[in-house]
Amino acid sequence: VAIFSTIVLLLVMINNFYQYYPTLGSIYNNKHSLYNINSVIVSSSNIHKAQVATSLEAQLSPEPTFKGNLYTVPIPGTTSGFKARDAIVYLPAAYTNKTVSSNFPVIVLLTGVPGSPTDWLNGEHFLQTMDDFAGRHKGITPVVVIADHNSNFANDTECVNSSHGNVETYLTVDLPSYIKSNFRVSTSPNNWALGGLSEGGMCAAMLTLRH
């Protein structure tokens, strides 16, 4: 009993620090379960890639909706051979607005280990943060891709090419290539950002400096 109580206390302390489950109810009522997120397979044939550079704000109709949409998207390791879990993609409300034809900036987010892409949707309040930002910018935000770099809950790849998988190649070749080919986004490095939590934060700094 003493050992069990110690383990439970340790887990509670770790969760209290990281806020992985911010409330007791969130353990059982995760409204951002992957089963409740839209599934989509996108292709370059059905998404228009515009080349105009007009201000995004200038192209919007007067009263756009400000809430974006989440999608699960399988992004293959075409070059790397890495088998990643599905990414989660946030498309801002303005993305589907027919008056907007410019390409969007991109943010790629990574999580820690142990973990999964859904971590950003739980304790980090990702969707609320993005929608709040959109509300202050006429429905416009970057396209955000929450990518997988560990393939499972506990596979600590450190985002390098190793026996755990060719993850560095996946994140720097396969992932950006897929995003640019299948979403209406800017191809300029000046309009891309990479961020992360814990191990993902280290990966973000390392990959940005190396690539």
Side-chain angles (χ1 to χ4, degrees), residues 5 29 59 81 93 134 147 188 207:
S5 299
N29 298 303
Q59 300 174 56
S188 170
L207 292 173

Side-chain angles (χ1 to χ4, degrees), residues 200-211:
M202 181 280 296
C203 291
M206 182 268 288
L207 292 173
T208 301
L209 291 170
R210 292 179 62 165
H211 298 273

Side-chain angles (χ1 to χ4, degrees), residues 5 13 29 88 93 144 186 207:
S5 299
M13 292 173 64
N29 298 303
I88 298 172
V144 182
S186 170
L207 292 173

Side-chain angles (χ1 to χ4, degrees), residues 60-69 90-97 131 134-135 137-141:
L60 287 170
S61 56
E63 297 180 357
T65 176
F66 294 148
K67 291 189 177 296
N69 291 298
Y90 174 91
L91 296 181
Y95 189 90
T96 56
N97 190 313
D131 286 345
H137 296 86
K138 298 185 178 181
I140 293 173
T141 75

Side-chain angles (χ1 to χ4, degrees), residues 19-95:
Q19 290 292 298
Y20 192 83
Y21 294 107
T23 65
L24 185 62
S26 66
I27 299 175
Y28 304 101
N29 298 303
N30 179 10
K31 66 180 180 178
H32 294 307
S33 166
L34 279 178
Y35 296 105
N36 296 324
I37 301 175
N38 303 305
S39 291
V40 64
I41 297 178
V42 295
S43 68
S44 55
S45 62
N46 61 24
I47 294 183
H48 173 63
K49 289 178 64 63
Q51 300 300 322
V52 296
T54 308
S55 165
L56 288 168
E57 288 88 345
Q59 300 174 56
L60 287 170
S61 56
E63 297 180 357
T65 176
F66 294 148
K67 291 189 177 296
N69 291 298
L70 291 174
Y71 301 90
T72 57
V73 179
I75 300 180
T78 305
T79 300
S80 65
F82 181 68
K83 295 181 179 179
R85 291 168 290 185
D86 288 355
I88 298 172
V89 177
Y90 174 91
L91 296 181
Y95 189 90

Side-chain angles (χ1 to χ4, degrees), residues 155-177:
N155 186 36
D156 188 359
T157 69
E158 297 297 312
C159 298
V160 298
N161 292 342
S162 70
S163 59
H164 292 276
N166 294 325
V167 182
E168 186 166 357
T169 300
Y170 176 76
L171 293 174
T172 60
V173 177
D174 293 327
L175 183 70
S177 176

Side-chain angles (χ1 to χ4, degrees), residues 184-200:
R184 199 171 73 246
V185 299
S186 170
T187 58
S188 170
N190 294 330
N191 295 324
W192 282 60
L194 181 61
L197 301 170
S198 190
E199 177 211 19

